[in-house]
Amino acid sequence: MSCRNRPALWGLLLCLLGSQAAAAERLTLGVQPFLDRSELLRRFAPLADYVGERVGRPVEVRIAQDYEQHIEDIGNDRLDIALLGPAPYVVMRDRYGPKPLLARLEVNGRPELMGHIVVREDSQLRSLEDLRDHGFAFGDPRSTMSSLVPRYLLLRVGIRERDFGFVLRLPGHQDVALAVLSGDVDAGAVKQEVLEAYRAQGLRSIAQSPPISEHLLVARNGLDPALVARLRDSLLEMGQQPEGRRVMQGLQPGVTGLVPVRDEDYASMREVLRWLGPINP
Amino acid sequence: MTGRFVTAPWIWGGMILFHIGLVVVALRFYDHQSFHLYDAYRQAAEREVEFLAKVAGDTLQQGSYSGAQRLLAQWAGKDPSTHSVALRAANGFLIGGHQRGQPAEHRIAVSRTVAYSYRGEAELTLTKDLTPVREKSLLLALEVIGSSLFVSITYFVMTFSALRIQRQSQELRRRSEALNRTNALLQEEVQERIRAERELRRAAKAIENTSEAVVITDAVGRIIQVNDAYCRITGYSQRELLGSNPNINHSGRHDRAFYEAMWARIRENGSWSGEIWDRRRGGEVYPARLSIDTLFDEDGEVENYIAVFTDISQVKANEEQLERLAFYDALTGLPNRTLFRDRLEQGLRLAARIQGQLALLFIDLDRFKPINDTLGHDAGDLVLKEVARRLKGCVRSSDTVARLGGDEFTVILSEVRGGEEAGMVAQKIIDALGLPMEVKGEPVTVGGSLGIAVYPKDGNDFDSLTKNADDAMYRAKEDGRNRFHFFTEAVEKQSRQRLTLERQLQQALDRGEFVLHYQPKLDIRSGRVCGMEALVRWQPEQGPLVGPDRFIALADEVGLLVPLGAWIFDQVCAQTLVWRAQGHDLQVAVNFTARQLRHPEALAMISGAMERHPLPPGTVELELTEGAMMEDLEHCIATLHRLRALGLHIAVDDFGTGYSSLQYLKNLPIDTLKIDRSFLQGVPDDPENLSIVSAVVYLGLSLNLEIVAEGVENAAQLHFLAERGCQQAQGYYIGPPMDAAAFSAYLAEGRWPRV
């Protein structure tokens, strides 16, 4: 009858509460595999923890096998929260219908990307039509700005890949810039930042893409609307808090905020994909 | 004579010619050696540029211009003798490179064409800084020329210099060979790793069930398998971990050298073990005992690394906790029963060796129970602490004061001169305990009754001495408390009287002097009485009613509890059957002890009673304390399962006062938890008890158990319990224990309170 066993009982209750909390269902945060797994985990685990702490549910990072799998998982509501690029987003949206949108990235103060077709400063090439029969370099085929958008720009003036003398596919935007400057190809496609970085060494733009909205985060259909609202609020507030800013910087250098997003923001991307026809994202 | 010879013109001319000749020879020698030096350097540089061109070409071949850039910058940064590296495209564009400081005056530049597919062709130029070498050989030449003034010395210097230069060029050759070898080794290692990666096979084993964290990586450190314990300890999920590197757990408390030494040891011995600080996903740093082993395939190549570790922060904390719990009483900090036994046995051995005497004092507090009951348990705890303090003040530091439990204390007086000395200490203790103390602002006086047994007179081993001290204490208590008694013949006589009491109990059973009382239980949801707890009382032929606390322990000790239990069971079942026949849907609870549970005839006794009285399953409930269940857990689980098969329900009585372990709630087949009455005290005002009751109710609901709150004494408590979802209530507010007739009236008149 004595109360002297209270510490034991408190211990039991703490265990119990602990196990209850652990039992609260985990949310999943899906990420497309644009880097190696360890690196993605290192970058996104802090975001998962940050969001988890603010909505009171543990969040687990999931990395898809490939882009197609990622789109399928989001479309079939197998991920509670997901980050995806503009092109995969449009493909997913058009294939599976709308999802609650949470926020899009703002990089160096802009929530949009821009791409350019570049040549050497001393090149005779002045317009896209001049590129016929010349060597051209694209970046990674999955990349929006060094592959999809330039193909769209070229298609609009009637140039297909077979109209080039030859075509290179290089790993990154920088490689494209260097290949053009080395004279290995006559022109190539890069994003705005890379053009700026190499302009002084003799890179020149002959065509500019429409602005393409940045990467975004979406939620699953069927997720409690109150929870979706909390998720959205916690993401949009990140830029105003030191901890949030630290987490964002960890995602990708130059991220300055997470800002509101609407489906209309991806109209230009949708237009690009419409021109390109059915493609693999 | 000598002077003429020295000044002779032909000698001068000869000397001048000789020295001119020497200078010419020295210069030619310098030229020659310089040429050799340059040549050796050039050869080394050629080999280097060739290797670099090949690697850069491979990188460009993959389209990675930026990769080639990084490669060249790193290469040039590594070797201080490299002045510059430059990779230029055919159009002159500098794809990548690196330059150290201003262009040197003396250098070797070597170039290679780097050819890669498409139409690309670039030129790789490597410039080596020769200034230090050049300076060194020039100095040598000057030495040679200077020394020509002294013919004999010149010879030695020249020979010596020649040797040095030769050694240097040899050294240079050796170094360039070493460079080649390093390159070859590098290539080999790359190949080896590729092979190891290809040959990687999973060494999946049944490791999921171990409580230690296990992680298996491939030869290059990527995680291919982890068990649940690993996920639990590190905080990452399995999906997150697969493919990652275990270094995400690094705490940052160890420097690079630590991990390098660790891996050096693994490479050398194949394994490593030790303690290490790791970091959880949430950032918490913890100590772990880690061991890493290497698995080799048939060819002796590394196939996997297996790391096993335990989070030892918990282990360490547990060890300390265990040590403390095992030997010391948590409340007073005095030695507990275990340590007391150890000390007494030790004291007895010592006394036997020195042929001395030892006195054992048993102390039982008077008037402690009323304090506990009126002022609450925390007041009781304060009193016990104060008593412990006073007892320690009465004895020497070499003596032992221990708390055996409840309000029972004991003192071991080692090396006493005899009974008188023990008596003096005993009186001192009684005086000290008799002084008033203030608890929660209330003046309180407890007293003590002491029993004394002296080695070797009153017993010469642990058992006899403690039993006799205990008997002496009983005697003191019955003589009117606040006094001490030696274990004398008279005390022994007293213990015989206890035997008489046992006989009386047996007679009481035979004569039917036991009666059953019933305390109602209210179903809070329906507001109806749903059952009762049966309580046994002893009504001797003469004298007042005796409560169970006076005879149950004794009956238990002397083994009368089983026949008594059989009688109780029959009575209870028969009575319940009667009330049910009158239309009352009642469940009856019967208390059961550990001894009864263990008794081989217990099952037969109960199943007999159940057969004689056809009650629906679930009508009879056995109440067992946590302690009773824990005594022999395995046997208990088996017995409880059999009892349930007979249609009985099982309740945990006085829940919260014993082990309160989640483990037994999970493992034992139980239906009901009875919250101990002590937790209802002060509810709903006492915040601590309030939380405990809420949590136990919540616990019961989550485990799908019926919850009965005991000791309900007012409407506010009942209201609080209803609010928390507690199903049943028992206590004076619902109804006191009543004999069968009174209980019938209670049922008929509906005298229970409304929720």
Side-chain angles (χ1 to χ4, degrees):
Chain A
M1 294 290 171
S2 161
C3 282
R4 249 159 260 133
N5 287 299
R6 270 191 192 169
L9 189 62
W10 275 118
L12 164 87
L13 296 174
L14 285 176
C15 284
L16 178 72
L17 296 172
S19 66
Q20 286 296 321
E25 221 182 312
R26 279 164 181 266
L27 291 172
T28 49
L29 165 63
V31 182
Q32 50 195 21
F34 64 94
L35 291 166
D36 81 72
R37 290 186 52 90
S38 308
E39 183 59 27
L40 284 175
L41 204 56
R42 217 189 291 271
R43 289 189 183 192
F44 282 87
L47 177 69
D49 291 347
Y50 178 92
V51 173
E53 202 174 291
R54 269 152 191 81
V55 301
R57 297 258 299 266
V59 178
E60 179 183 272
V61 178
R62 294 241 179 119
I63 296 156
Q65 284 298 315
D66 51 47
Y67 278 54
E68 186 54 43
Q69 183 68 47
H70 190 55
I71 287 171
E72 211 179 295
D73 286 347
I74 298 168
N76 291 322
D77 292 325
R78 285 194 286 258
L79 296 166
D80 297 311
I81 315 163
L83 176 100
L84 69 178
Y89 167 70
V90 170
V91 171
M92 187 283 298
R93 168 71 168 72
D94 294 351
R95 206 185 288 169
Y96 296 97
K99 303 281 168 198
L101 305 188
L102 298 175
R104 57 175 165 164
L105 297 191
E106 182 193 75
V107 182
N108 295 322
R110 297 204 52 182
E112 284 154 344
L113 288 157
M114 210 100 87
H116 291 269
I117 306 291
V118 293
V119 297
R120 279 183 305 285
E121 185 66 66
D122 57 2
S123 170
Q124 299 299 312
L125 304 168
R126 299 281 167 218
S127 71
L128 294 178
E129 284 84 351
D130 296 345
L131 296 181
R132 255 174 233 281
D133 299 327
H134 284 89
F136 192 90
F138 289 104
D140 189 306
R142 295 177 310 197
S143 158
T144 309
M145 274 309 156
S146 63
S147 209
L148 299 182
V149 172
R151 279 169 56 201
Y152 153 78
L153 291 175
L154 292 162
L155 266 179
R156 283 212 314 192
V157 296
I159 299 178
R160 290 154 197 281
E161 284 200 28
R162 61 167 181 269
D163 298 325
F164 289 118
F166 65 96
V167 163
L168 296 186
R169 296 219 168 270
L170 303 177
H173 291 261
Q174 281 204 21
D175 299 315
V176 172
L178 288 167
V180 172
L181 288 167
S182 302
D184 292 342
V185 290
D186 301 297
V190 297
K191 58 183 173 188
Q192 173 113 16
E193 289 100 303
V194 173
L195 168 65
E196 297 305 339
Y198 285 93
R199 204 187 275 282
Q201 297 193 46
L203 213 56
R204 172 163 64 85
S205 167
I206 57 168
Q208 180 181 337
S209 80
I212 300 287
S213 188
E214 264 287 2
H215 285 58
L216 77 162
L217 284 145
V218 303
R220 161 171 76 78
N221 277 333
L223 208 58
D224 174 18
L227 180 59
V228 171
R230 279 213 306 284
L231 284 169
R232 187 179 292 128
D233 291 346
S234 70
L235 290 169
L236 294 178
E237 280 165 11
M238 281 180 80
Q240 277 101 64
Q241 295 164 346
E243 196 204 336
R245 281 199 293 276
R246 189 178 55 71
V247 170
M248 283 189 321
Q249 295 283 317
L251 294 182
Q252 176 185 325
V255 176
T256 48
L258 284 163
V259 295
V261 58
R262 300 163 309 157
D263 183 52
E264 297 89 276
D265 295 332
Y266 295 86
S268 58
M269 188 70 235
R270 189 165 279 120
E271 170 73 4
V272 169
L273 292 180
R274 201 174 59 76
W275 269 85
L276 296 178
I279 52 141
N280 294 322
Chain B
M1 172 82 184
T2 311
R4 215 171 49 227
F5 175 76
V6 168
T7 52
W10 66 269
I11 290 286
W12 275 107
M15 285 295 274
I16 288 165
L17 277 177
F18 176 70
H19 280 107
I20 289 170
L22 269 178
V23 169
V24 169
V25 167
L27 284 174
R28 293 219 42 158
F29 177 77
Y30 163 71
D31 263 2
H32 182 73
Q33 289 302 336
S34 292
F35 175 75
H36 274 293
L37 269 176
Y38 270 77
D39 199 40
Y41 260 94
R42 176 172 289 279
Q43 276 176 27
E46 294 274 358
R47 278 190 291 272
E48 186 177 331
V49 80
E50 191 161 337
F51 176 73
L52 198 53
K54 190 177 164 332
V55 180
D58 284 351
T59 314
L60 284 173
Q61 188 91 35
Q62 289 158 19
S64 184
Y65 289 77
S66 47
Q69 255 186 356
R70 281 194 299 277
L71 169 78
L72 295 177
Q74 280 171 13
W75 188 272
K78 265 185 205 156
D79 184 357
S81 77
T82 301
H83 172 257
S84 68
V85 181
L87 179 66
R88 284 188 188 278
N91 66 357
F93 174 72
L94 183 68
I95 296 173
H98 181 83
Q99 179 164 336
R100 191 190 296 275
Q102 291 299 309
E105 199 182 333
H106 300 288
R107 56 184 186 262
I108 297 175
V110 284
S111 296
R112 273 289 181 287
T113 302
V114 177
Y116 48 100
S117 59
Y118 7 114
R119 64 191 197 197
E121 196 168 270
E123 173 123 304
L124 177 68
T125 307
L126 175 72
T127 313
K128 289 286 190 186
D129 187 356
L130 286 188
T131 312
V133 184
R134 172 87 179 193
E135 278 166 0
K136 212 179 270 177
S137 42
L138 200 64
L139 213 66
L140 281 173
L142 287 174
E143 262 176 39
V144 172
I145 293 165
S147 65
S148 70
L149 293 170
F150 305 95
V151 177
S152 53
I153 297 170
T154 307
Y155 173 75
F156 287 112
V157 169
M158 281 174 67
T159 315
F160 179 66
S161 307
L163 282 173
R164 265 181 74 178
I165 291 174
Q166 198 168 356
R167 266 207 303 278
Q168 275 198 338
S169 68
Q170 271 169 6
E171 170 77 359
L172 201 64
R173 218 164 278 134
R174 265 205 302 281
R175 276 196 200 163
S176 67
E177 273 162 21
L179 185 68
N180 281 347
R181 270 202 303 279
T182 314
N183 288 342
L185 281 176
L186 201 68
Q187 289 281 27
E188 224 168 81
E189 198 180 309
V190 168
Q191 287 306 316
E192 237 167 63
R193 283 187 184 205
I194 291 169
R195 204 159 51 236
E197 207 169 344
R198 276 198 204 114
E199 288 169 0
L200 190 76
R201 284 182 294 107
R202 294 201 172 188
K205 295 281 172 194
I207 49 174
E208 275 309 319
N209 292 329
T210 174
S211 65
E212 298 187 314
V214 179
V215 54
I216 302 179
T217 73
D218 60 17
V220 297
R222 277 193 303 259
I223 295 176
I224 56 178
Q225 196 181 348
V226 294
N227 67 355
D228 287 345
Y230 187 89
C231 298
R232 199 173 59 245
I233 293 176
T234 62
Y236 289 101
S237 73
Q238 196 146 7
R239 276 165 181 270
E240 289 178 336
L241 287 163
L242 294 185
S244 313
N245 190 299
N247 66 17
I248 55 175
N249 296 321
H250 283 186
S251 64
R253 287 209 184 172
H254 305 288
D255 55 11
R256 255 177 91 93
F258 174 86
Y259 292 108
E260 276 166 8
M262 178 173 109
W263 280 102
R265 189 155 179 88
I266 292 168
R267 277 191 294 275
E268 198 180 317
N269 295 355
S271 67
W272 181 91
S273 66
E275 290 186 3
I276 188 167
W277 289 95
D278 273 346
R279 183 191 299 275
R280 287 186 231 285
R281 188 181 197 254
E284 183 199 342
V285 172
Y286 60 97
R289 184 171 295 125
L290 168 69
S291 59
I292 300 179
D293 281 292
T294 315
L295 284 190
F296 299 95
D297 63 12
E298 301 80 17
D299 304 331
E301 302 279 346
V302 173
E303 189 170 33
N304 299 104
Y305 294 106
I306 298 190
V308 180
F309 71 91
T310 353
D311 178 349
I312 55 176
S313 49
Q314 199 50 46
V315 174
K316 282 184 172 169
N318 283 349
E319 276 168 6
E320 278 168 25
Q321 176 81 355
L322 221 57
E323 163 92 353
R324 215 163 46 74
L325 286 181
F327 294 115
Y328 289 92
D329 169 39
L331 177 69
T332 60
L334 292 177
N336 66 7
R337 193 180 283 275
T338 312
L339 187 54
F340 159 68
R341 186 188 187 101
D342 191 54
R343 293 263 175 96
L344 182 55
E345 282 172 348
Q346 207 179 320
L348 289 172
R349 277 196 298 275
L350 179 73
R353 198 161 61 239
I354 62 171
Q355 299 197 324
Q357 297 191 61
L358 175 150
L360 179 64
L361 277 57
F362 264 43
I363 303 155
D364 194 67
L365 298 183
D366 303 326
R367 294 185 295 280
F368 177 70
K369 199 172 158 19
I371 293 173
N372 227 7
D373 291 348
T374 55
L375 293 178
H377 294 281
D378 38 356
D381 286 354
L382 290 174
V383 169
L384 291 172
K385 279 189 192 172
E386 174 60 17
V387 165
R389 202 184 61 77
R390 290 184 184 184
L391 288 178
K392 276 191 281 188
C394 293
V395 300
R396 298 167 300 186
S397 60
S398 56
D399 297 324
T400 297
V401 178
R403 177 171 174 234
L404 301 184
D407 55 353
E408 281 178 34
F409 293 85
T410 179
V411 173
I412 304 168
L413 301 173
S414 49
E415 296 181 51
V416 287
R417 279 185 294 279
E420 280 147 273
E421 197 187 325
M424 276 156 64
V425 175
Q427 189 56 53
K428 207 165 132 191
I429 289 174
I430 285 168
D431 292 344
L433 292 182
L435 294 173
M437 56 179 93
E438 197 176 67
V439 175
K440 288 171 129 186
E442 296 269 351
V444 165
T445 312
V446 291
S449 302
L450 271 79
I452 307 171
V454 181
Y455 168 89
K457 180 161 62 80
D458 298 333
N460 54 13
D461 59 25
F462 177 88
D463 288 335
S464 62
L465 208 59
T466 50
K467 181 185 176 298
N468 292 344
D470 198 17
D471 283 351
M473 184 194 73
Y474 263 95
R475 177 69 196 279
K477 241 182 167 41
E478 282 165 22
D479 272 1
R481 301 168 183 253
N482 239 0
R483 62 189 67 205
F484 66 89
H485 247 282
F486 284 97
F487 176 77
T488 57
E489 284 304 314
V491 175
E492 204 159 50
K493 204 182 284 167
Q494 193 72 27
S495 74
R496 280 199 209 96
Q497 281 177 10
R498 283 181 76 195
L499 285 173
T500 317
L501 185 68
E502 286 171 28
R503 272 198 301 279
Q504 283 178 342
L505 268 180
Q506 180 66 57
Q507 282 168 2
L509 194 60
D510 297 341
R511 293 179 191 158
E513 288 175 2
F514 290 105
V515 288
L516 283 164
H517 283 195
Y518 298 92
Q519 185 171 28
K521 288 194 285 185
L522 184 72
D523 185 313
I524 300 177
R525 293 158 300 193
S526 67
R528 303 185 60 83
V529 167
C530 60
M532 56 278 173
E533 180 178 353
L535 300 157
V536 65
R537 300 277 189 271
W538 181 15
Q539 177 69 69
E541 256 182 317
Q542 288 109 23
L545 200 64
V546 183
D549 49 328
R550 295 276 295 280
F551 65 84
I552 284 285
L554 186 61
D556 204 347
E557 250 172 60
V558 299
L560 275 179
L561 209 55
V562 172
L564 181 60
W567 176 82
I568 293 171
F569 234 87
D570 265 328
Q571 287 292 307
V572 163
C573 289
Q575 183 61 62
T576 306
L577 212 52
V578 169
W579 281 326
R580 289 182 68 89
Q582 290 168 0
H584 302 288
D585 186 11
L586 295 173
Q587 200 196 26
V588 68
V590 182
N591 289 290
F592 221 56
T593 65
R595 192 179 283 256
Q596 282 173 300
L597 197 63
R598 273 202 311 270
H599 202 282
E601 285 168 28
L603 274 169
M605 182 268 279
I606 292 173
S607 67
M610 298 301 286
E611 266 168 35
R612 285 190 291 278
H613 306 95
L615 288 163
T619 308
V620 183
E621 188 167 67
L622 289 187
E623 289 189 4
L624 289 138
T625 60
E626 295 172 41
M629 293 187 179
M630 297 304 287
E631 269 185 25
D632 182 359
L633 192 59
E634 260 175 56
H635 176 253
C636 177
I637 292 175
T639 309
L640 293 186
H641 275 296
R642 282 197 205 108
L643 289 169
R644 291 227 310 188
L646 291 174
L648 279 88
H649 273 186
I650 311 295
V652 181
D653 205 2
D654 303 341
F655 180 73
T657 62
Y659 301 82
S660 303
S661 142
L662 266 189
Q663 193 63 30
Y664 84 66
L665 285 185
K666 208 180 80 185
N667 289 343
L668 286 168
I670 50 180
D671 306 278
T672 307
L673 285 186
K674 295 191 82 175
I675 306 176
D676 186 62
R677 64 181 70 250
S678 64
F679 296 118
L680 260 287
Q681 279 180 2
V683 167
D685 299 320
D686 177 339
E688 194 181 339
N689 276 352
L690 194 89
S691 321
I692 291 179
V693 172
S694 303
V696 174
V697 170
Y698 177 64
L699 167 71
L701 292 175
S702 358
L703 294 175
N704 207 17
L705 296 174
E706 195 81 3
I707 303 291
V708 183
E710 289 186 275
V712 177
E713 288 175 359
N714 55 50
Q717 288 176 342
L718 188 58
H719 180 71
F720 161 74
L721 292 168
E723 223 172 43
R724 295 302 146 113
C726 179
Q727 296 105 327
Q728 295 182 31
Q730 184 182 339
Y732 274 73
Y733 182 63
I734 311 302
M738 298 166 257
D739 64 25
F743 195 83
S744 292
Y746 172 89
L747 284 177
E749 291 162 24
R751 272 193 266 129
W752 55 88
R754 302 294 174 255
V755 184

